[in-house]
Amino acid sequence: MTGTTMPMLETYPKSINLDRKRLAAVIDALNDCAQACTACADACLSEDMVAELAKCVRTNLDCADVCTTTARVLSRHTGYDANISRSLLEACATACRACGDECARHADRHEHCRICADACRACEQACRDLLATMS
Amino acid sequence: MTGTTMPMLETYPKSINLDRKRLAAVIDALNDCAQACTACADACLSEDMVAELAKCVRTNLDCADVCTTTARVLSRHTGYDANISRSLLEACATACRACGDECARHADRHEHCRICADACRACEQACRDLLATMS
Amino acid sequence: MTGTTMPMLETYPKSINLDRKRLAAVIDALNDCAQACTACADACLSEDMVAELAKCVRTNLDCADVCTTTARVLSRHTGYDANISRSLLEACATACRACGDECARHADRHEHCRICADACRACEQACRDLLATMS
Amino acid sequence: MTGTTMPMLETYPKSINLDRKRLAAVIDALNDCAQACTACADACLSEDMVAELAKCVRTNLDCADVCTTTARVLSRHTGYDANISRSLLEACATACRACGDECARHADRHEHCRICADACRACEQACRDLLATMS
């Protein structure tokens, strides 16, 4: 849990179209997942069997980039456009699903993949939960 | 046109599921749009009437982030997953549409908004053209 | 505190040249600061007096970008190069100092600037503490 | 050469502390290098000998992140702070040097490393040239 997410949401000077607690939970899940994916990509690169983890590295890099961008977009409320948030949340849930699936395939042999898979699952769920409240 | 996009695509050691020339054009349009949006956000901040441009700044920031992430994902071909590319291209076209529309509203008064709107339109079209070849 | 930073560091398969607990604290401070700065930039954009906050928005955007990149670089240990980490930590401390100073100027009127200034100060200190152990 | 860099610099509404042509050249070199590094990291992942390229992937990822962030910071002129630009240009030149050296080691066997090394060298030089005009 990032220490500043909720306090910053609480001090935003105008109204926010979404529930602030739920929003904070999604932003924290996104930042958590991005951190796990960046670290997992690097841990995979240091495994002796890196050749078998090439796809895992790639999916981790995609997922880290998409989660970081989604956290940024969801942290902005000025001139809110639901279409951008919604389509990006869909893309993010897709990336988290793919990365969670790929990491899960290596979870029994690599603890970093197991932890990362969990972070991806939690993030995918958080994105889908928020999407459900937006339609 | 970024000098390295096409040469790098040509030296990728495995097959690529998409047409390399079209892919290079989309990646260049994305990087071009990201650059325009980052610069437009800052130019808006320096206008005396910045209060009227707050939404424009925000949409520029979103669009820059989404375009940069999309360019990165499209530059990766290892362990290709069409679902990620497709959903991200949809989100990117949505962000470019929103930013192009917002910039266009200020294009008659601010030349940076006019140039940025053009870059957003071109990028949105490039994303949609690529999406059309993927379905 | 991001939930995955320390668990991911603990499962990295090779040795790490820096103390893992200290490293996790710096990465968390960087992600925390990036989150605060992204949110503060947007909160400033929604203030009626945004014209007086233009420099604050800009410095927030710089600080968010530099902190995110520094967190990523510090999360990688494969083929470690102390020169990159060190020079980036110096740049990050500089950006955090500038942003902390700018936000502090508005802290009495805007609570988001006060929280963000604190996050910048904490992050600057974390960067400098890590730098001190590297020389 | 990105199509929008120079036109956007020319339409910035206030004065800019640096020569606009030189600045545009640096920003284009940074975006070019970031694109090459992102693509080179992925091309390395698809090589059969990826285990020997693990450090190259890592350095590419660092360099891409640092170049993208530096391009963003240099594209902002509102509330200009020379200290941030200068320290980030130093860090960026350091990352480009490291990545250029690492890619050069593989340039005879991998054309993508050869092209990427050239982009890193050009970007390092552009950063150092700009730094020289700032002191």
Side-chain angles (χ1 to χ4, degrees), chain D residues 88-89 133:
Chain D
L88 198 52
L89 280 165
T133 72

Side-chain angles (χ1 to χ4, degrees), chain B residues 100-123:
Chain B
D101 286 353
E102 182 61 29
C103 281
R105 292 183 55 233
H106 313 286
D108 55 339
R109 277 202 280 186
H110 303 298
E111 187 67 2
H112 50 82
C113 288
R114 192 192 59 73
I115 298 170
C116 191
D118 286 350
C120 291
R121 301 298 193 210
C123 190

Side-chain angles (χ1 to χ4, degrees), chain A residues 1-2 12 32 46 72 78, chain C residues 1-2 12 32 46 65 78:
Chain A
M1 173 71 77
T2 303
Y12 179 74
D32 219 49
S46 280
R72 285 175 163 226
T78 305
Chain C
M1 174 70 76
T2 303
Y12 179 74
D32 219 50
S46 280
D65 286 340
T78 306

Side-chain angles (χ1 to χ4, degrees), chain D residues 3-82:
Chain D
T4 53
T5 310
M6 193 63 203
M8 290 304 291
L9 279 171
E10 280 167 344
T11 56
Y12 179 73
K14 298 271 163 65
S15 67
I16 296 182
N17 294 49
L18 301 162
D19 178 71
R20 295 185 190 213
K21 267 193 197 162
R22 185 184 296 273
L23 198 52
V26 180
I27 293 168
D28 284 339
L30 288 161
N31 287 330
D32 219 51
C33 187
Q35 180 60 38
C37 289
T38 298
C40 191
D42 183 69
C44 288
L45 280 179
S46 280
E47 295 287 353
D48 297 331
M49 56 177 288
V50 56
E52 296 171 53
L53 295 166
K55 179 176 178 160
C56 196
V57 174
R58 186 262 155 100
T59 318
N60 273 318
L61 296 178
D62 280 3
C63 198
D65 286 341
V66 178
C67 284
T68 297
T69 285
T70 306
R72 285 175 164 226
V73 170
L74 292 183
S75 299
R76 297 178 188 129
H77 316 290
T78 306
Y80 175 70
D81 181 332

Side-chain angles (χ1 to χ4, degrees), chain A residues 4-26:
Chain A
T4 54
T5 310
M6 194 62 200
M8 289 304 292
L9 279 171
E10 280 167 344
T11 56
Y12 179 74
K14 298 271 163 65
S15 67
I16 295 182
N17 294 50
L18 301 162
D19 178 72
R20 295 184 191 215
K21 266 192 199 162
R22 184 184 296 273
L23 199 52
V26 180

Side-chain angles (χ1 to χ4, degrees), chain A residues 1-5 7-8 11-14 27 31-32 35-36 38-40 42-43 45-48 64-65 68 71-72 75-78 111-112 115-116 119, chain C residues 1-5 7-8 11-14 27 31-32 35-36 38-40 42-43 45-48 64-65 68 71-72 75-78 111-112 115-116 119:
Chain A
M1 173 71 77
T2 303
T4 54
T5 310
M8 289 304 292
T11 56
Y12 179 74
K14 298 271 163 65
I27 292 169
N31 286 332
D32 219 49
Q35 180 60 37
T38 297
C40 190
D42 184 69
L45 279 179
S46 280
E47 295 287 353
D48 296 331
D65 286 340
T68 297
R72 285 175 163 226
S75 299
R76 298 179 186 128
H77 316 291
T78 305
E111 186 68 1
H112 50 82
I115 298 169
C116 192
Chain C
M1 174 70 76
T2 303
T4 54
T5 309
M8 289 303 291
T11 56
Y12 179 74
K14 298 271 164 68
I27 292 168
N31 286 331
D32 219 50
Q35 180 60 36
T38 297
C40 190
D42 184 69
L45 279 179
S46 280
E47 295 287 354
D48 296 331
D65 286 340
T68 298
R72 286 175 162 225
S75 300
R76 299 179 185 128
H77 316 291
T78 306
E111 186 68 2
H112 50 82
I115 298 169
C116 191

